[in-house]
Amino acid sequence: MPIMSLSSTDIQLLAEPAGGVPEVINTRQQFDTFVHAYTTASGPLAADAERASSFRYFKGNYLIQFKRSGAPIALLDPIALDEQRVDWNAFNRAVQGAAWIIHDCEQDIPAFVANGLQIDAVFDTEHAARLLGRKRFGLSAITEHYLGLTLAKEHSAADWSYRPLNRDLRNYAALDVEVLIELDNALTAELKKTGKWQWALEDFEHLRQHGLEEKAVHPQPWRRVSHITDLRGDVRSLAVVRELWMTREHYAQQLDIAPNLLLSDEAIIVAAQRKPRNSKQFKAIRLLNERVRIRTGDEREKMFERYASVQRQIKPQVWKEAIGRALETKYAEIRELTQPVEKPGNSAPRSMKYWREHHPERYARLHRVKELIGQVSQDTHTPVEVLLKPQYVRNLCWRDDIAYTPNDIAEFLTLQGARNWQVELLAPSLSKVII
């Protein structure tokens, strides 16, 4: 394992995997060899994946990384392998029942499932570190703390859809799984030592199940445009945002390019503010008339420039026509189209100012509950947001129609999605302070 000492600390730099930098598996024959190796291997499965959401519309995996004791690191190209119709179930059978060691599993599970992979159990290294009270829980940070190693990580925002992947990118990808098994062992020992092992098991299963669930579609995804609140609810401006967003989304999907590479959020907001009604006004908005260029000051600039020919396929006239449609639509119609859609359920408001000014009794209740959870956080060395999701806390304190007995609180938190360990730890004490 090539490790170089860092002069200022005892932390060592892990420059590349012990077994060297692997090639990408992209043929049926290579895949069959890989499956055989992992069938004869044993123990948990270290797993990671790389996507290219900054460059492509497609949100799935462009590279999958695995490691298992007794087998070499595997870098798989799921796009190429799917084209050859490999049998992913053969791999599922090879690792059936094994726990997948993933850093931040909720990010990766949906795409793994989309590839046809079956995940029976997980060990989330990020969540384990959070349970243990680590303030820095990125992969490099926790490998430094628990293993004395820092990873050579320089390509996190790379274009993983581009082929062939050079050696540096393959090295980066392989390092993501190189020490996950050792990290699992170290974190497991610490969780058991601190009495948090059962907490972790419940949370890991909760995270796995949540990752497997089909994600609800946002009722108004165009409202996620950055700085949309700058428009202060102006209906005609919101109509421009909506029409430009929908147009951008249509062409981005069609061309498989990241939407922001066709038209920036900044350009959408400027157009919504100015509402250009003729060619002169439209041409005065440079952001609508120039190709999007990303300036990063590093090698990524060249990666973005690969998409210049795709960007040029969409002419400024496309945006001009979209704005025109929004400006020509009848006011009554756009008011209906831009009316905010209320979220389902009884979610309490987030604004503490609103609580304090309009519901002082509920605000006082929330304050007492937060103080209690803060004390438990200190006593157990567990972050407050890990002890109980802040939205669950707000929802609990917002209610006036429950008795706030330990059983009532336990039932409410369970329905919200709290785990058994959270309910058992907090419900009895909450009933004493919440009334």
Side-chain angles (χ1 to χ4, degrees):
M1 183 177 294
I3 297 175
M4 297 178 289
S5 297
L6 300 180
S7 57
S8 59
T9 68
D10 293 330
I11 303 297
Q12 294 181 301
L13 173 66
L14 181 57
E16 67 177 53
V21 180
E23 297 292 335
V24 175
I25 294 171
N26 55 20
T27 69
R28 181 188 292 272
Q29 183 178 4
Q30 291 171 333
F31 179 80
D32 290 343
T33 301
F34 149 74
V35 170
H36 177 73
Y38 276 65
T39 300
T40 57
S42 61
L45 179 75
D48 192 43
E50 308 295 347
R51 292 173 285 278
S53 56
S54 295
F55 302 88
R56 299 282 196 152
Y57 186 86
F58 176 62
K59 303 301 188 293
N61 295 328
Y62 282 98
L63 189 73
I64 298 174
Q65 305 100 278
F66 290 128
K67 183 179 180 182
R68 197 178 192 191
S69 295
I73 289 177
L75 306 181
L76 297 99
D77 182 338
I79 308 295
L81 293 173
D82 281 344
E83 289 174 353
Q84 298 180 54
R85 298 183 180 181
V86 302
D87 182 9
W88 290 103
N89 283 324
F91 175 71
N92 290 335
R93 290 190 292 272
V95 299
Q96 187 173 13
W100 290 47
I101 310 169
I102 310 175
H103 191 77
D104 191 7
C105 68
E106 284 187 290
Q107 294 292 319
D108 288 329
I109 288 178
F112 281 141
V113 172
N115 286 128
L117 297 169
Q118 180 180 317
I119 302 172
D120 295 329
V122 298
F123 184 106
D124 190 316
T125 52
E126 180 189 84
H127 190 74
R130 287 167 61 84
L131 266 175
L132 291 168
R134 302 306 309 166
K135 291 181 170 55
R136 294 173 59 238
F137 38 79
L139 183 58
S140 287
I142 59 175
T143 56
E144 285 180 18
H145 181 79
Y146 290 101
L147 302 179
L149 298 171
T150 188
L151 307 178
K153 310 292 286 175
E154 300 171 355
H155 304 285
S156 60
D159 183 2
W160 293 96
S161 70
Y162 192 71
R163 294 294 184 272
L165 291 178
N166 63 37
R167 187 182 188 280
D168 284 347
L169 288 177
R170 289 184 282 113
N171 183 57
Y172 171 98
L175 285 174
D176 274 339
V177 294
E178 169 70 350
V179 294
L180 282 183
I181 295 172
E182 291 84 350
L183 191 57
D184 176 320
N185 293 334
L187 288 166
T188 296
E190 191 71 10
L191 287 166
K192 290 180 177 179
K193 180 180 177 181
T194 56
K196 296 179 177 180
W197 178 238
Q198 291 304 316
W199 297 8
L201 291 179
E202 285 188 42
D203 282 2
F204 293 159
E205 179 57 18
H206 173 80
L207 291 170
R208 186 184 77 90
Q209 292 289 348
H210 190 259
L212 292 174
E213 292 172 1
E214 186 173 349
K215 299 299 180 285
V217 178
H218 194 289
Q220 294 176 318
W222 54 271
R223 286 189 177 274
R224 292 175 171 172
V225 170
S226 302
H227 300 292
I228 195 170
T229 54
D230 292 352
L231 303 178
R232 302 184 183 280
D234 179 82
V235 172
R236 187 65 68 178
S237 294
L238 292 175
V240 173
V241 171
R242 180 179 180 275
E243 195 64 43
L244 283 173
W245 185 92
M246 291 176 65
T247 302
R248 182 180 71 173
E249 194 76 1
H250 168 76
Y251 286 107
Q253 184 174 14
Q254 187 179 84
L255 298 172
D256 191 16
I257 187 173
N260 283 337
L261 292 184
L262 289 184
L263 186 69
S264 68
D265 280 9
E266 181 185 3
I268 292 177
I269 295 300
V270 171
Q273 290 170 329
R274 297 191 189 180
K275 305 182 190 68
R277 293 184 177 275
N278 55 50
S279 295
K280 183 178 180 180
Q281 292 174 350
F282 179 81
K283 289 179 180 178
I285 304 176
R286 292 181 57 186
L287 290 170
L288 295 172
N289 290 275
E290 296 180 349
R291 179 174 66 85
V292 176
R293 288 179 170 84
I294 307 295
R295 305 299 186 192
T296 61
D298 56 30
E299 63 182 15
R300 286 176 295 162
E301 282 191 26
K302 294 181 180 178
M303 296 180 184
F304 283 111
E305 282 302 306
R306 294 171 185 158
Y307 295 87
S309 61
V310 179
Q311 292 173 307
R312 292 191 185 100
Q313 293 182 46
I314 306 302
K315 307 301 181 185
Q317 184 66 21
V318 167
W319 314 127
K320 185 173 183 294
E321 291 172 357
I323 294 169
R325 290 192 295 272
L327 298 180
E328 291 167 6
T329 305
K330 292 180 179 179
Y331 184 82
E333 184 178 344
I334 64 170
R335 184 168 184 174
E336 182 179 350
L337 290 172
T338 59
Q339 188 72 20
V341 177
E342 293 185 7
K343 293 182 179 179
N346 298 313
S347 292
R350 291 176 177 269
S351 171
M352 290 299 100
K353 181 180 178 181
Y354 181 81
W355 282 68
R356 186 172 58 252
E357 293 181 356
H358 299 280
H359 299 275
E361 292 183 3
R362 288 172 172 169
Y363 178 75
R365 180 189 299 160
L366 180 62
H367 181 69
R368 294 194 300 272
V369 167
K370 283 186 173 181
E371 279 193 333
L372 170 68
I373 295 176
Q375 185 59 56
V376 176
S377 171
Q378 291 183 31
D379 294 342
T380 62
H381 303 287
T382 311
V384 291
E385 67 275 11
V386 175
L387 283 175
L388 197 60
K389 191 174 180 179
Q391 186 64 57
Y392 299 170
V393 176
R394 291 192 295 270
N395 291 349
L396 176 67
C397 295
W398 187 253
R399 298 288 293 270
D400 289 324
D401 59 346
I402 59 177
Y404 289 125
T405 65
N407 286 340
D408 289 328
I409 292 174
E411 182 179 356
F412 180 84
L413 292 178
T414 299
L415 289 173
Q416 289 283 299
R419 269 75 74 204
N420 290 335
W421 73 265
Q422 296 172 315
V423 172
E424 292 172 1
L425 179 68
L426 296 172
S429 298
L430 285 173
S431 68
K432 296 175 183 178
V433 302
I434 200 170
I435 299 174

